[in-house]
Amino acid sequence: MRLFATTALIALTALPAAAQDWKSDYRIVRFGILSGENESDRIARYTPFQEYLEKTLGVEVEIFTAGNYDGVIQALAAGQIEFSFLGSSAYAAAYTETAGGVIPLLTQIQEDHSTGYFGVIVVRCDSGLKTVDDLKGKTLAFADPDSTSGYNVPYYNLVQQGYQPEEFFAAIPFSGSHEAGVAGVANGQFDAAATYINNEKNGIPQRMETKGMIKEGEVCVIWTSPEITSGPFTARANLPQGLIDEMKAAVMNVPTADPQAFKDMSGAEDSTAKGYVEVDHARYQWIIDMRDWFKAQRDS
């Protein structure tokens, strides 16, 4: 598998090729994944899916990773990748950055038919910290400025609940990724960190326990956000419709066509993910509205 290679940038305003001819224009198709965990684990989890796509689409497929969320967003905006798995806030950022030049296609659905997840704040279980009030004067690490669950939703909701993060906490650094924040809590670097869970069985802390990155029962959740709309698998809007349709079908079918690849993507042995459902832009408008609130705070 080759990772991202430099190519000529494709402007988002370019006219799409005829749907039936897309393979002659897109001999390599690239999809991006966000920096929720370290790069080697991200690549390992998605390599079986990449191989499945190559067999299904009949073209070479490459994985694109970046050191932060914005790297993937900018790659979409610059036409350097065709598709990406995005969080809700990252999709909103990409939509804004491209002036509507991206299309949400699918989002993951769980066994209980839910299509959302939750931002959480975690602490060491032995820290004696039980509530947000206990974090006054402590360090809370957010994941990334473009992370829905790791920054935007917890920050926004903490403000709505009467907390002013810059004043209430001693420091609110960005850890760079969900895993780095949780690991920082486990090793004492941070008092608390924002991350996400899908449910009690699946999420970043559970995945890290499975991988042996933290001990079972080492970190505990002390705050949970309202449900967040799961992020979409996203396409550039200027791609040939044939390519979009074939990729969308391939992703939709992976749970049954290649169950192991789908399982590996989830990153947890007891994942409750069952497949994908179609989504549209309207589902994410509230995330854009929330980001507009952030912008208004910065500009005021």
Side-chain angles (χ1 to χ4, degrees), residues 245-266:
D245 290 345
E246 289 194 41
M247 176 63 88
K248 182 177 179 180
V251 176
M252 180 74 84
N253 293 333
V254 66
T256 53
D258 195 333
Q260 188 60 50
F262 180 66
K263 180 179 178 181
D264 290 344
M265 289 166 66
S266 73

Side-chain angles (χ1 to χ4, degrees), residues 22-23 29 52-59 61 246-247 250:
W22 73 262
K23 289 185 182 180
V29 175
Y52 157 78
L53 288 180
E54 289 188 331
K55 290 184 290 186
T56 303
L57 299 177
V59 296
V61 175
E246 289 194 41
M247 176 63 88

